[in-house]
Amino acid sequence: MAKRENPYEVAFAAYLRHRRVPYVAIHESHRHSLGDGSIKNLDYLISLPGGMSWLIDVKGRQFPGGGKQKQYWKNWATQEDLRGLSAWEQLFGQGSCGLLVFAYLLTGEQSPVAVPELFCHAGQWYAFLGIRWYDYASAARVISPRWGTVALPATRFRELARPISEFLQPGRQVGDGIHSQSTVT
């Protein structure tokens, strides 16, 4: 197993073990070469019995985030994150799908998911929301050209993101209306 120091990724792995979801943790310090370039590594690979293989990139955020002005739905990612998920999905082929998992550390009384969906790890409460990379990319807006960051408006993110448990149901298939091949450039 890859060494994990990111508390959000550690909490997500604990969640997967608790739910008895088979997964592979990817060693992040080595990038995969592809042609003249390289691909940002995944964080986890989840292959469900009789169903999907989820190619996961975990994004850790606080809920709410920010200082005096509370920001409840911070969901930024990088364009490199999206390009990486697209490339991995193409490499793995049919039956695989790139997924951004937003791991929210709860810092207040509100939660982005219902109480039964919350997960406690190391005395902290987490909420995990998933969104397919191409759904995210299709609605993302550039927030910093310099840093290559993008985000969804909070209302759109709330429409598209789902509790991670919905993605981890055995038997989920590509043909279940959850995949349409596209790429990010």
Side-chain angles (χ1 to χ4, degrees):
M1 180 163 133
K3 182 179 179 188
R4 297 280 172 200
E5 295 178 9
N6 179 315
Y8 298 96
E9 293 174 15
V10 170
F12 185 64
Y15 171 82
L16 294 174
R17 285 191 304 274
H18 174 77
R19 296 275 315 255
R20 296 189 172 149
V21 174
Y23 71 92
V24 175
I26 309 299
H27 195 288
E28 296 180 61
S29 67
H30 302 101
R31 291 180 67 96
H32 180 77
S33 296
L34 182 66
D36 293 335
S38 65
I39 304 173
K40 180 182 181 286
N41 274 348
L42 303 169
D43 292 318
Y44 296 98
L45 169 62
I46 295 174
S47 186
L48 298 175
M52 293 293 299
S53 289
W54 295 109
L55 313 170
I56 295 180
D57 190 355
V58 176
K59 303 285 138 204
R61 306 287 180 261
Q62 293 186 358
F63 192 93
K68 292 180 182 179
Q69 291 185 332
K70 303 289 185 196
Q71 297 176 354
Y72 285 92
W73 295 97
K74 289 181 96 173
N75 66 70
W76 64 270
T78 67
Q79 292 168 330
E80 182 183 26
D81 295 333
L82 301 176
R83 282 190 298 272
L85 288 171
S86 173
W88 282 113
E89 189 174 286
Q90 289 176 12
L91 286 170
F92 274 85
Q94 190 172 6
S96 66
C97 186
L99 188 68
L100 289 165
V101 172
F102 287 87
Y104 287 106
L105 169 63
L106 302 187
T107 61
E109 298 296 316
Q110 293 182 310
S111 169
V113 296
V115 172
E117 294 285 339
L118 295 176
F119 181 71
C120 187
H121 176 70
Q124 302 280 341
W125 287 95
Y126 290 87
F128 302 108
L129 290 165
I131 183 169
R132 291 169 204 92
W133 78 267
Y134 50 83
D135 288 335
Y136 185 94
S138 69
R141 297 180 182 163
V142 174
I143 56 175
S144 173
R146 180 179 179 191
W147 297 104
T149 53
V150 293
L152 296 183
T155 53
R156 189 67 176 139
F157 182 78
R158 291 175 68 184
E159 290 170 4
L160 294 173
R162 295 286 175 256
I164 195 64
S165 62
E166 291 184 24
F167 295 94
L168 301 178
Q169 299 168 9
R172 190 130 205 203
Q173 298 292 320
V174 173
D176 291 345
I178 57 174
H179 186 74
S180 63
Q181 196 74 330
S182 56
T183 58
V184 170
T185 56

